Amino acid sequence: MRLRNIPGAEDMLRQFPTYVNNPAQYKGTWSDCFGNSNPIHVEIGSGKGRFINTLASRFPSTNFIAIELKAEVLYRTAQRTEQKDIPNLKLIQFDAFKITELFAPGELDRIYLNFSDPWPKKRHSKRRLTHFSFLRQYRAVLKQDGEIHLKTDNQNLFEFSLNQFANELFQLRHVSLDLHSSEQAATNVMTEYEERFSNRGQRIFRTEALCKPIAPTDKPAKDN
Amino acid sequence: MRLRNIPGAEDMLRQFPTYVNNPAQYKGTWSDCFGNSNPIHVEIGSGKGRFINTLASRFPSTNFIAIELKAEVLYRTAQRTEQKDIPNLKLIQFDAFKITELFAPGELDRIYLNFSDPWPKKRHSKRRLTHFSFLRQYRAVLKQDGEIHLKTDNQNLFEFSLNQFANELFQLRHVSLDLHSSEQAATNVMTEYEERFSNRGQRIFRTEALCKPIAPTDKPAKDN
């Protein structure tokens, strides 16, 4: 998503009670930050934030964290919270590749990846948020049986992701090649992007990937 | 595939040296039947037989078995062998659901499912050749790390199959949502059906599913 550069976005973010400055200080102690021990769900690349705001309102007994690399994009999410303190939502400006600096092993219950940048060129595949190097970081912070929920309109990214998940021994579940025509559509929370592209008749792909323990005899595939 | 009923097809099949009468007698001793201990690859629902004939010619060090329920369809495959004895190809008229009557545990290295009937109605889902009840039969006769190779043009059957494989703890590999545009296209052997539908611009889906051992702590998903 392109947004105009917003001068001083980082400073402005600090005005919002949902924004967390220096989030790495909470590594291993996010329960203290939220003031409860509810499960923690993270969205990586939260865009303008409609998805995570909707979830935070709908599920008050879950803690939500939006991680976004770009301050000006995160600022749009923050604006959506309208200066209100939503106790179960936190906003973080951070690089997903360094997610192990933010969370301790097993601290997260779920990670959402919604309409991530497909990085279509093969030489950029390492930047895709489902590249195995990212999946290993996610595994390092997810609980056993923790979940990654992926949605995308990009067929090539979806195919790539299915293979990366399988190679890294995540267990797939609820794979959908046309989400809005499936039984899952009833409980689906749409992102801004999703609504726009779905209205154009574009198919949406979705899968869940469970973080199963890797037995000592198991090895991730070599052809990653 | 619809073919005219061919009266006496079963009797006519017996003329072909590739045809195996009473195949259950070879359970556990297929190596003797082939006269060697090469790996055994089975195609279930072999249609007119172009795929398996091509493979049998191309890979003489692998033993191939075509299993087909309908005698008149298998007869077309047999005709393709033109009375020649192709030593690494056998044809069997049998019901895939009873595959454990044909093979001993671990006797097979690979199963091919090409363009199987999608049985689109939900109440017929048990008849799909990737329904979990079939997958458990396949697991019972495949070697550890044995493979199932699935190709279909039917998106719903493919989606269903990915979920059934994942639920039954097969490990997916080389998932392709558009086979003929992928790197795998170069080595792909087309079936009659595949060529016809691909020429019309229809996408072909493909996956491989590896028969991994199920640890005592693992359980297939409950929502099969």
Side-chain angles (χ1 to χ4, degrees):
Chain A
M1 175 182 34
R2 280 177 192 277
L3 284 178
R4 272 177 313 169
N5 188 32
I6 302 172
E10 289 178 40
D11 288 340
M12 288 155 71
L13 275 167
R14 295 202 184 93
Q15 303 164 11
F16 293 89
T18 45
Y19 179 73
V20 179
N21 204 14
N22 297 325
Q25 68 181 303
Y26 289 109
K27 178 174 177 172
T29 61
W30 281 98
S31 295
D32 297 342
C33 179
F34 281 105
N36 63 56
S37 57
N38 290 339
I40 301 175
H41 294 189
V42 167
E43 186 182 15
I44 297 179
S46 48
K48 292 192 210 164
R50 175 172 130 181
F51 178 82
I52 198 142
N53 264 288
T54 306
L55 288 187
S57 307
R58 196 173 289 182
F59 302 105
S61 301
T62 301
N63 296 321
F64 292 92
I65 299 176
I67 298 180
E68 174 57 53
L69 183 60
K70 294 178 187 164
E72 58 270 27
V73 177
L74 193 62
Y75 178 66
R76 299 292 290 268
T77 306
Q79 283 183 309
R80 196 182 278 273
T81 65
E82 290 168 358
Q83 307 275 355
K84 288 183 293 190
D85 186 12
I86 306 175
N88 64 328
L89 177 61
K90 302 292 179 197
L91 310 182
I92 293 175
Q93 188 206 348
F94 213 77
D95 181 347
F97 197 71
K98 298 191 289 179
I99 195 168
T100 53
E101 294 179 16
L102 288 185
F103 303 107
E107 197 164 15
L108 300 186
D109 289 75
R110 190 180 292 175
I111 291 173
Y112 287 103
L113 301 172
N114 290 318
F115 301 91
S116 310
D117 193 328
W119 291 104
K121 289 181 181 161
K122 197 168 179 177
R123 70 172 186 274
H124 290 152
S125 63
K126 285 185 182 178
R127 303 186 193 179
R128 298 173 194 154
L129 288 181
T130 49
H131 186 269
F132 74 85
S133 53
F134 280 103
L135 297 189
R136 290 176 186 183
Q137 312 263 354
Y138 306 155
R139 182 184 287 284
V141 296
L142 278 167
K143 279 198 173 58
Q144 183 176 320
D145 288 329
E147 303 172 1
I148 301 171
H149 289 202
L150 170 76
K151 282 199 286 192
T152 180
D153 62 313
N154 187 288
Q155 178 177 305
N156 290 332
L157 178 65
F158 191 66
E159 180 182 293
F160 173 84
S161 303
L162 289 178
N163 284 297
Q164 296 283 307
F165 282 132
N167 288 349
E168 289 295 314
L169 306 178
F170 284 81
Q171 190 182 340
L172 297 174
R173 188 174 68 177
H174 297 158
V175 182
S176 177
L177 301 177
D178 189 358
L179 174 61
H180 294 186
S181 305
S182 78
E183 293 171 1
Q184 301 167 43
T187 54
N188 180 47
V189 174
M190 285 213 258
T191 74
E192 288 92 345
Y193 189 93
E194 181 175 1
E195 186 162 42
R196 187 154 26 111
F197 279 77
S198 172
N199 284 343
R200 292 187 197 164
Q202 203 149 340
R203 283 187 307 149
I204 307 298
F205 301 90
R206 180 178 183 275
T207 193
E208 298 174 11
L210 306 191
C211 190
K212 290 291 182 187
I214 299 185
T217 52
D218 288 338
K219 282 182 189 157
K222 285 181 187 157
D223 58 351
N224 260 322
Chain B
M1 171 181 40
R2 281 177 192 275
L3 282 177
R4 273 177 313 168
N5 187 31
I6 302 172
E10 291 179 41
D11 288 341
M12 288 154 72
L13 275 168
R14 294 202 184 91
Q15 305 165 12
F16 293 89
T18 45
Y19 178 73
V20 179
N21 204 16
N22 298 323
Q25 68 181 304
Y26 291 109
K27 178 175 176 170
T29 62
W30 282 97
S31 295
D32 297 343
C33 179
F34 281 106
N36 63 57
S37 57
N38 291 339
I40 300 175
H41 294 189
V42 166
E43 185 183 16
I44 296 178
S46 48
K48 293 192 210 164
R50 177 174 127 182
F51 178 83
I52 197 142
N53 265 287
T54 306
L55 288 187
S57 307
R58 196 173 289 181
F59 302 104
S61 301
T62 301
N63 296 321
F64 292 93
I65 299 176
I67 298 180
E68 174 58 53
L69 183 61
K70 294 177 186 164
E72 59 269 28
V73 177
L74 193 63
Y75 178 65
R76 298 291 290 269
T77 305
Q79 283 183 310
R80 195 182 280 271
T81 65
E82 292 167 357
Q83 307 276 353
K84 287 183 292 188
D85 186 12
I86 306 175
N88 64 327
L89 176 61
K90 302 292 178 196
L91 310 182
I92 292 175
Q93 188 207 346
F94 214 76
D95 180 347
F97 198 72
K98 298 191 289 180
I99 196 170
T100 52
E101 294 179 16
L102 288 185
F103 303 108
E107 198 163 17
L108 300 187
D109 289 75
R110 189 179 295 176
I111 291 173
Y112 287 103
L113 301 172
N114 290 318
F115 302 90
S116 309
D117 193 328
W119 291 104
K121 291 181 181 163
K122 196 169 182 178
R123 69 174 188 274
H124 291 151
S125 63
K126 286 187 180 178
R127 303 186 193 179
R128 297 174 195 152
L129 288 181
T130 49
H131 185 269
F132 74 85
S133 53
F134 280 102
L135 297 189
R136 290 176 187 184
Q137 311 262 354
Y138 306 155
R139 181 184 287 283
V141 296
L142 278 167
K143 277 198 174 61
Q144 184 177 318
D145 288 328
E147 303 171 2
I148 301 171
H149 290 202
L150 170 76
K151 281 198 287 192
T152 180
D153 62 315
N154 187 288
Q155 178 177 304
N156 290 332
L157 179 65
F158 191 65
E159 179 181 293
F160 173 84
S161 303
L162 290 179
N163 284 297
Q164 296 282 305
F165 282 133
N167 288 348
E168 289 294 313
L169 306 178
F170 284 80
Q171 190 182 341
L172 297 174
R173 189 175 67 178
H174 298 156
V175 181
S176 175
L177 302 177
D178 190 357
L179 174 61
H180 295 185
S181 305
S182 76
E183 292 173 359
Q184 300 168 43
T187 54
N188 179 46
V189 174
M190 285 214 256
T191 74
E192 289 91 346
Y193 189 94
E194 182 174 359
E195 186 160 43
R196 186 153 28 108
F197 280 76
S198 171
N199 284 343
R200 292 186 198 164
Q202 202 148 343
R203 282 187 307 151
I204 306 298
F205 302 91
R206 181 177 182 276
T207 192
E208 298 174 11
L210 305 192
C211 190
K212 290 291 182 186
I214 299 185
T217 51
D218 288 339
K219 282 181 189 159
K222 284 182 186 155
D223 59 349
N224 259 322

